Amino acid sequence: MTGLVLFATGNRHKLAELDAVLRGCGYRAEAAGVPKLELQADSLEEIAVAAAATAYAAAGRPIAVEDAGLFVDALNGFPGPYTSYVYKTLGVRGLLRLLEGAGDRAAEFRSVIAYAGPWGVKVFTGRVRGTIAAEPRGSGGFGYDPVFIPEGETRTFAEMTLEEKNRYSHRAAAARELCRWLREAREAP
Ligand code: ITT
C-alpha cells in the first residue's frame, strides 16, 4: 500500500525532492491544491506550523507544509526566514553582492516540515552546512542552489542531480524524519 502526504506548496522542485525521499518509505508527496498561508515571522517553525494548521482547517484532511531558509553566518543568519522574499527582491546576485569582501562564506540551509492532522501538528527539521560560492554554477534545482556548496563537496546543489542533492539537503533530512514518524504511526498497534 502506498500512502499519500499532501503538501501545500507552489514549488514543484520542492515537491519532487520530498517525493523522492517519501517513496523510500512507501509514501508519495503530492500537491494539496490548497493555498499556503505566507505568514512572515522570525522562525521557520512558526511559519510552517501556522501554514499547516490553516491548510488542515480549510481542507479538512491532513496537510503538510515545508518551509526553508538560507542562514548566512557572516550576515548573522540573514536572510533566514526571509529567504523567499529576499530571493524575489534581490535574487542570487543580490546575495553575492552582500557577501562581497566577506572572508567567511559559511552558511546553512534549514528546513521545517509541519504536518497537521487529527494528531495535532508534528514538526520535523533538517539542516545542511556549506559555503556560498563566488559565482553561480549549474542549472539544476531552484532558488539559491547555484551558489550553495554543501560540506564535503566541490559542486553546488545546482550541479547535482536531485538524488545527489537529496543525499545532503536540509529538506531531504527533514523528509527522512517524517518518514520515520510515518513508519512508526503505521506500525503502531
Ligand atoms: P512554497 O510554495 O512551498 O512556500 P517557496 O519556494 O516559496 O515555496 P519557501 O517559502 O520555503 O519556498 O522559501 C524558501 C526560499 O529559500 C526559496 O524561495 C529559495 O530561494 C530558498 N530555498 C529553500 N530551499 C532551497 C533549496 O533546497 N535550494 C535552493 N534554495 C532554497
Side-chain angles (χ1 to χ4, degrees):
M1 196 191 86
T2 310
L4 201 58
V5 180
L6 296 175
F7 281 86
T9 178
N11 184 326
R12 66 184 171 84
H13 299 280
K14 234 187 210 191
L15 201 60
E17 292 175 17
L18 292 163
D19 187 56
V21 176
L22 291 187
R23 277 174 189 268
C25 63
Y27 283 79
R28 278 172 30 233
E30 273 187 18
V34 296
K36 178 184 170 196
L37 172 75
E38 290 293 347
L39 175 81
Q40 192 66 76
D42 288 343
S43 106
L44 289 182
E45 183 165 331
E46 208 180 308
I47 297 168
V49 167
T54 306
Y56 172 52
R61 52 192 176 152
I63 305 276
V65 157
E66 192 260 1
D67 218 80
L70 178 64
F71 295 71
V72 180
D73 290 11
L75 305 176
N76 297 323
F78 184 81
Y82 306 98
T83 306
S84 187
Y85 181 70
V86 168
Y87 180 73
K88 281 182 218 147
T89 51
L90 303 179
V92 169
R93 291 279 169 197
L95 178 76
L96 292 180
R97 268 197 300 277
L98 289 178
L99 281 176
E100 265 168 26
D104 178 10
R105 302 183 73 87
E108 75 179 39
F109 266 127
R110 292 184 201 157
S111 162
V112 176
I113 295 175
Y115 193 23
W119 50 79
V121 186
K122 293 292 294 178
V123 172
F124 309 92
T125 62
R127 58 178 63 198
V128 55
R129 299 249 349 134
T131 52
I132 303 298
E135 285 294 321
R137 296 198 314 257
S139 56
F142 69 99
Y144 287 104
D145 277 345
V147 289
F148 188 84
I149 306 167
E151 257 175 14
E153 268 286 340
T154 53
R155 294 174 301 167
T156 68
F157 271 161
E159 293 178 298
M160 298 182 187
T161 64
L162 184 151
E163 289 72 24
E164 288 169 334
K165 179 181 172 185
N166 269 359
R167 263 182 236 150
Y168 299 100
S169 94
H170 51 313
R171 180 167 303 103
R176 282 192 290 271
E177 289 295 308
L178 169 60
C179 265
R180 216 162 286 148
W181 181 78
L182 289 169
R183 253 199 230 112
E184 282 168 17
R186 193 166 52 188
E187 283 159 17

